[in-house]
Amino acid sequence: MAIAITQCSEKLGYLILQLGKNFLVFMAMVVACNGVHFLLKPCSQPRVTSDIIVGLIMGNIPFLRKLYDEFNSTFGFIMDFGMMCYMFVLGIEMDPYVLLKKPTKDAQIAYAGILCTFIISSSLTSLLRYFTVQSGLAVSISLSALLSSTASPVLTRVITSLKIGKSDIGSLVIGAGMHSDFLCSLLLSVGYIFLSSDIYCLGPKKDKALMAVITMSVAVLAQTLFTAVVSPVFMAWVNNENPEGKPMKGSHLVLSIAFMVMICASSTLYNYSPVLSAFMTGICLPREGRLSKWVITKINYLLATIFFPIFFLWMGYAADMTKFNPGDPITWIRLFLPVAVAVLGKVIGTLVAGALLGFHWPESIAVGLLLITKGHFQIYLSIKALNCGTSGTPSSAIVPVIAIFLTLVHAPIVVAHIIKRARKRAPTHSNALQLLDPLSELRILLCLHGLDNVPASINFMEISRGSADSSILVYVAEIIELTDQIAATLESGEGVHTTTIKDKQVIEMREQITSSFQAYVDRDGNGITFKRSLAVSTITSMAQNICVLAEDLMIALIILPFHRYQRQDGKLDGGNPGFRYVNRKLLKSAPCSVGILVNRGFGSVENISRFEPLLKVAIIFVGGRDDREALAYVGRVAWHSGVKVTVIRFLVDTTAESSRLAAYRVTITEQEEEMGLDDECFAQFYERYIVGGRISYMEKHLANASETFSTLRSFDGQYSLVIVGREGGANSILTKGMNDWQQCPELGPIGDVLSGPDFSTSLSVLIIQQHKLRGELDGLDEDFSIM
């Protein structure tokens, strides 16, 4: 008895010692992965590359390999369970109904890449064969699907971390990666039913009889249908019982987890792979709802913190470097040929699809190179195949891991090339009014929402005509949201911008707008060239279409109506959120200067060419590039004989104690540079317009934002139109803190106050933003377009 107790104690002590060793190795792996990832940050390498490097190194340290040998079976269990969780979350994030919808651009790119890679891989199966025991159709399909796949979680993280996620090519790559990953994983899941189990090495090694195939097919189909029908009802009930803002009930969490585990385990009773069963369950679960988001968040956290360090240790242990035979040419063929097939297939596929979709060929190649990205699931399948003992030579043990590593390291170089091309295609010169010759022709794109904008737009044209020696070219364009009703009446011509709308209401509106503007031009249009245009699109793509139109027409100033309109009581209504979205997008991406006109009676002025009494216009100059742009525009308004312009310059009262204290909190270098540009610009303006008496001038010495606000309130009833720069004084102590109560940040601090609901009901406001160069693209914050 004593001997038995002693042996048990020794065994327990040994296990605790081994457990401690494994924990120390795990912690060393975590620290090493973070350290190498930090060192590779200047190279913009994704996290998975540093994990692979550390895993290969630590997995091949001799004394650690002896420790791994003792826990090899445990390693396998942890890998299977972790990969089940990985594939389950991947399935939840997929949308199976995309197969039933008309293919989008990213879907077409994904399908073309998969098809070309599949064809090339299938034709070269004999050269690619890692598996000498198996042959024929089974190897061809499984290996081709593996080479055609894309690790969408890895690719998404790469795109977002390299800061092109908001660009059109970034969105396209992420969408194409999701489609590619979903389709190839689905192909493997379905193929498992019909192909020999040991091709996948995820189940018992045996050829499937016809009855076994039928039984497994029925089990998987029943599981899929049950999940698709029952899970939405069950998860909707859990979500309703646990609304946002309240802790989820423990009993509901336990019940939900048990429900998911039960579904995943059902088909495995008939020898179906638990890993693929988890994926099939995930794609049938609802993606929306609190429960799904909770599951995705928690599992991803466990994978990142616990599973992935162990996973890459297991990968390093399986990829035994001592079995790599660099002297054998077959080793290098097996290393580079799969990578070459994946690259060739994806690039050819994206080039073909890109040509049909009208993409530039360099961008199509870049998309193809990014879609070859492989990740955790591909590593898992490769190592599982090796552990099954179906590889022909020992050198193949490490070859798949190195090949997968090669599909990752090139991504930062490809993205750098994308950004470089985007910079070249971005404007290299400023299209600002400040740089235009005042006597040159000013090209304006005047956007309208409807007939209500016509009077104010005509008045704007009138005051913008400039001196007798200058002229303006105005394109009047309606912004029309593309609805199903309007889309049914569209007719496309053979030329560019020849889309015709046959909707009766739109036709009548356009005819009335045209007649109103034409009547004005015929009567008082000296120096004004009037042309028509049209912007028809969905709200999401409207801003991009207007930008393209402005570039084609070489526009210098886009004028947009404010999204809120004045009611009969003088107040502004709630506005149209869609048009507000368009305005905000244009402020970010317009190829020229932009103005937003807040109309509160500006269109009610009659006898536009001879204002009686004089139309009083004020410009507020605090400082900054947008204020300088507004000043350049006012130089044209000043030539109108019916307009009396007053320039009001806000200056900091240096004698006030609050101003002196606040000055220490402002960046001196930035202020000095901006103030120098402001003084130079204002001196030229003062000499040209104010000295000759054409424009009135006054100064306001203010101490802080509170005095600025009070001064703005005093303008009530004094002026019909106030012109301001959007970000005028954005870094000034005179507006510091005004952003805290902004209702419409797109109008800037001064414009938002003047357009507020508690302000004057008869004061119109024109907010101007100077054209911003987009040559300094920084990625994530830039919604750039390159496709």
Side-chain angles (χ1 to χ4, degrees):
M1 182 69 179
I3 296 175
I5 294 175
T6 302
Q7 291 177 345
C8 183
S9 300
E10 291 177 354
K11 184 67 174 178
L12 182 61
Y14 176 77
L15 290 176
I16 293 175
L17 178 62
Q18 294 299 99
L19 181 63
K21 290 180 179 179
N22 281 277
F23 180 75
L24 289 177
V25 173
F26 171 79
M27 294 304 299
M29 181 70 183
V30 172
V31 173
C33 287
N34 289 327
V36 174
H37 179 61
F38 177 77
L39 294 176
L40 292 179
K41 264 192 173 181
C43 302
S44 301
Q45 287 295 328
R47 177 67 185 240
V48 66
T49 57
S50 58
D51 291 346
I52 291 177
I53 293 173
V54 175
L56 287 174
I57 294 174
M58 293 194 65
N60 284 274
I61 298 176
F63 76 90
L64 290 181
R65 290 190 65 85
K66 296 180 180 178
L67 184 65
Y68 303 150
D69 288 335
E70 300 181 16
F71 285 86
N72 192 22
S73 60
T74 307
F75 256 151
F77 172 77
I78 295 174
M79 292 307 106
D80 292 341
F81 178 77
M83 195 51 59
M84 286 173 60
C85 297
Y86 177 88
M87 294 300 290
F88 180 70
V89 170
L90 180 66
I92 295 179
E93 294 177 334
M94 298 295 180
D95 181 14
Y97 297 103
V98 296
L99 298 176
L100 306 177
K101 300 176 182 177
K102 181 181 179 181
T104 56
K105 290 183 179 180
D106 47 5
Q108 294 177 49
I109 291 287
Y111 298 158
I114 291 173
L115 182 61
C116 289
T117 308
F118 209 97
I119 293 173
I120 296 174
S121 177
S122 299
S123 62
L124 298 176
T125 300
S126 59
L127 295 177
L128 294 174
R129 189 179 304 153
Y130 291 101
F131 316 103
T132 56
V133 175
Q134 299 293 334
S135 61
L137 182 62
V139 169
S140 178
I141 293 177
S142 57
L143 188 56
S144 299
L146 193 62
L147 291 176
S148 303
S149 64
T150 301
S152 60
V154 175
L155 182 60
T156 301
R157 292 189 185 96
V158 168
I159 294 299
T160 54
S161 64
L162 295 177
K163 300 182 179 181
I164 63 168
K166 288 187 178 180
S167 66
D168 56 353
I169 191 171
S171 302
L172 181 77
V173 170
I174 291 174
M178 291 283 287
H179 282 89
S180 180
D181 202 1
F182 167 66
L183 197 60
C184 291
S185 299
L186 186 63
L187 181 62
L188 287 171
S189 300
V190 175
Y192 185 89
I193 300 174
F194 303 99
L195 302 180
S196 178
S197 299
D198 44 358
I199 292 298
Y200 293 81
C201 298
L202 301 177
K205 292 186 179 183
K206 61 180 180 179
D207 292 330
K208 295 189 176 84
L210 179 60
M211 194 61 192
V213 171
I214 295 175
T215 303
M216 189 182 296
S217 302
V218 172
V220 173
L221 181 61
Q223 171 186 312
T224 303
L225 293 177
F226 177 82
T227 307
V229 173
V230 177
S231 62
V233 179
F234 172 77
M235 296 180 72
W237 172 75
V238 175
N239 291 328
N240 292 334
E241 292 292 320
N242 298 272
E244 295 284 351
K246 293 184 178 181
M248 293 191 70
K249 299 176 183 178
S251 59
H252 290 168
L253 287 178
V254 172
L255 187 61
S256 302
I257 294 173
F259 175 77
M260 296 176 188
V261 171
M262 179 195 71
I263 296 175
C264 292
S266 59
S267 61
T268 61
L269 299 175
Y270 300 92
N271 297 323
Y272 190 67
S273 166
V275 175
L276 300 179
S277 177
F279 175 75
M280 295 297 292
T281 301
I283 62 175
C284 296
L285 291 176
R287 292 187 300 162
E288 304 299 329
R290 187 181 181 187
L291 182 59
S292 296
K293 293 177 182 177
W294 181 87
V295 169
I296 292 173
T297 302
K298 297 302 180 184
I299 292 182
N300 279 333
Y301 177 76
L302 291 175
L303 291 174
T305 55
I306 298 176
F307 174 67
F308 287 156
I310 302 175
F311 175 82
F312 286 105
L313 271 176
W314 172 75
M315 177 210 71
Y317 170 73
D320 189 355
M321 289 186 178
T322 61
K323 297 180 180 179
F324 184 76
N325 186 9
D328 186 1
I330 300 299
T331 300
W332 299 105
I333 292 176
R334 289 180 171 173
L335 174 60
F336 291 110
L337 192 57
V339 178
V341 168
V343 171
L344 194 62
K346 291 293 185 182
V347 169
I348 291 177
T350 52
L351 277 174
V352 173
L356 296 176
L357 295 172
F359 296 161
H360 302 285
W361 66 266
E363 280 68 54
S364 297
I365 293 177
V367 171
L369 291 175
L370 290 174
L371 287 180
I372 70 171
T373 302
K374 303 294 186 284
H376 304 84
F377 184 56
Q378 288 79 13
I379 293 175
Y380 172 80
L381 285 182
S382 300
I383 295 177
K384 274 292 183 178
L386 301 174
N387 290 341
C388 287
T390 55
S391 58
T393 61
S395 65
S396 64
I398 192 172
V399 166
V401 174
I402 298 178
I404 290 172
F405 178 79
L406 294 177
T407 67
L408 296 165
V409 292
H410 70 287
I413 301 174
V414 176
V415 173
H417 173 75
I418 291 172
I419 295 178
K420 182 179 179 180
R421 279 184 55 81
R423 284 175 175 164
K424 288 182 178 180
R425 296 182 62 189
T428 56
H429 66 281
S430 178
N431 196 15
L433 301 180
Q434 186 182 352
L435 302 179
L436 294 179
D437 184 352
L439 299 180
S440 64
E441 182 184 62
L442 176 62
R443 303 172 74 92
I444 300 175
L445 178 61
L446 201 53
C447 298
L448 309 179
H449 296 159
L451 290 168
D452 294 338
N453 303 131
V454 172
S457 299
I458 291 177
N459 284 359
F460 173 82
M461 287 174 59
E462 173 64 27
I463 66 174
S464 304
R465 66 167 68 206
S467 65
D469 297 329
S470 61
S471 61
I472 61 173
L473 171 60
V474 180
Y475 286 89
V476 176
E478 295 89 352
I479 300 178
I480 299 177
E481 181 180 0
L482 185 61
T483 62
D484 293 338
Q485 179 181 352
I486 294 178
T489 66
L490 286 180
E491 291 184 3
S492 299
E494 296 181 356
V496 181
H497 306 307
T498 56
T499 300
T500 304
I501 298 179
K502 297 297 184 179
D503 185 82
K504 184 178 180 181
Q505 293 182 350
V506 175
I507 292 175
E508 292 179 355
M509 179 190 71
R510 297 202 73 211
E511 289 177 349
Q512 293 182 47
I513 292 174
T514 302
S515 61
S516 298
F517 276 93
Q518 193 61 55
Y520 158 69
V521 172
D522 293 341
R523 183 180 69 249
D524 299 306
N526 293 332
I528 299 177
T529 303
F530 165 65
K531 294 187 178 183
R532 296 288 277 121
S533 189
L534 179 65
V536 184
S537 178
T538 59
I539 289 296
T540 54
S541 58
M542 181 68 74
Q544 183 177 357
N545 289 349
I546 294 176
C547 289
V548 172
L549 182 63
E551 287 180 345
D552 293 344
L553 302 177
M554 296 181 290
I555 298 299
L557 178 63
I558 299 175
I559 298 297
L560 303 166
F562 191 43
H563 70 281
R564 301 171 65 181
Y565 291 93
Q566 191 174 31
R567 302 191 303 250
Q568 291 184 352
D569 61 0
K571 301 293 184 180
L572 295 177
D573 62 13
N576 187 315
F579 288 139
R580 183 185 186 187
Y581 173 82
V582 173
N583 290 356
R584 299 179 75 166
K585 290 277 287 185
L586 277 169
L587 289 170
K588 289 184 178 181
S589 56
C592 59
S593 297
V594 179
I596 297 179
L597 180 60
V598 182
N599 178 25
R600 286 190 294 208
F602 185 59
S604 63
V605 181
E606 301 293 339
N607 296 324
I608 184 71
S609 61
R610 46 188 183 279
F611 292 114
E612 297 176 359
L614 293 177
L615 179 71
K616 295 183 178 181
V617 176
I619 172 175
I620 299 173
F621 188 90
V622 183
R625 56 188 297 169
D626 291 345
D627 275 14
R628 296 193 292 271
E629 188 75 351
L631 204 63
Y633 171 72
V634 166
R636 286 183 168 269
V637 178
W639 290 99
H640 199 289
S641 59
V643 180
K644 178 175 177 56
V645 179
T646 302
V647 176
I648 306 171
R649 187 172 188 183
F650 287 3
L651 298 172
V652 178
D653 186 359
T654 55
T655 62
E657 183 67 23
S658 59
S659 297
R660 292 200 302 270
L661 292 175
Y664 291 106
R665 298 193 293 267
V666 179
T667 305
I668 301 299
T669 305
E670 293 180 0
Q671 280 285 53
E672 288 181 350
E673 183 179 351
E674 282 296 317
M675 289 176 62
L677 295 173
D678 292 340
D679 291 340
E680 180 183 354
C681 175
F682 201 87
Q684 296 175 359
F685 184 86
Y686 190 95
E687 182 178 354
R688 182 165 188 171
Y689 297 102
I690 298 176
V691 171
R694 187 171 294 279
I695 294 179
S696 301
Y697 174 66
M698 69 172 66
E699 294 180 353
K700 297 287 185 180
H701 294 268
L702 310 172
N704 48 46
S706 177
E707 293 189 10
T708 300
F709 184 80
S710 300
T711 303
L712 294 175
R713 293 296 298 260
S714 67
F715 293 161
D716 190 3
Q718 296 188 37
Y719 305 99
S720 299
L721 176 67
V722 174
I723 302 172
V724 299
R726 177 175 177 255
E727 294 183 356
N731 297 320
S732 172
I733 60 175
L734 299 184
T735 58
K736 192 175 183 63
M738 293 177 66
N739 295 337
D740 297 341
W741 62 74
Q742 277 185 323
Q743 293 185 356
C744 297
E746 65 269 23
L747 302 182
I750 303 293
D752 183 72
V753 171
L754 295 174
S755 307
D758 299 328
F759 208 73
S760 171
T761 60
S762 59
L763 178 68
S764 298
V765 187
L766 176 62
I767 300 94
I768 294 179
Q769 173 186 272
Q770 189 178 73
H771 174 225
K772 293 183 178 180
L773 285 177
R774 297 174 63 208
E776 297 298 327
L777 293 176
D778 192 29
L780 188 62
D781 295 329
E782 295 286 351
D783 192 7
F784 65 88
S785 175
I786 191 174
M787 298 302 291

